[in-house]
Amino acid sequence: MNDPSQRAAQPPSESPAIRFDATVHPGVTNHNLRAVADLDLDRMPDPEDEVRLLVTPEDCRRLLESGYEVHLRALVPVRPVPAELVETDESVMAWLEERVQGIERAGGA
């Protein structure tokens, strides 16, 4: 498979599962950065108040085709959340009950 056009035709599921920590900038077209919210991408907090996203290579392509400038900051591999960080239904209900204790509920419960 030395022909680049054949490699580009591979389905995305065959590419490695990666994301990028990226910042988005207006670019030469001077796009309004508020419109990035309409693209439904995962936003991350940024200490410099930049538009910082967690994006796939496909998301980067969409942003670039839309006229934005994209700065990749870091590679973020996709992996499962460690089991010890996943709360159980019971632990979440106990936490919630502790927080709402003493609040009057409708129906007298």
Side-chain angles (χ1 to χ4, degrees):
M1 217 199 260
N2 292 330
D3 182 7
S5 65
Q6 288 178 338
R7 275 183 266 145
Q10 291 177 349
S13 61
E14 291 182 22
S15 63
I18 59 171
R19 301 287 185 273
F20 296 103
D21 172 350
T23 56
V24 179
H25 306 273
V28 294
T29 57
N30 205 21
H31 268 45
N32 184 338
L33 289 175
R34 291 180 188 211
V36 172
D38 296 335
L39 298 175
D40 196 30
L41 300 171
D42 294 327
R43 182 99 184 244
M44 298 187 307
D46 185 78
E48 288 89 37
D49 290 328
E50 291 186 301
V51 177
R52 192 165 177 180
L53 305 168
L54 187 61
V55 293
T56 65
E58 176 62 21
D59 296 333
C60 290
R61 185 189 62 74
R62 286 178 38 217
L63 287 162
L64 291 169
E65 287 177 348
S66 297
Y68 294 102
E69 183 177 310
V70 180
H71 295 195
L72 302 180
R73 300 170 56 102
L75 177 66
V76 182
V78 176
R79 58 183 176 260
V81 175
E84 63 270 10
L85 296 178
V86 178
E87 293 289 337
T88 64
D89 289 346
E90 293 79 20
S91 67
V92 171
M93 287 303 295
W95 175 86
L96 181 59
E97 286 298 328
E98 183 180 308
R99 298 308 180 280
V100 299
Q101 187 177 8
I103 297 174
E104 189 174 324
R105 299 178 187 187

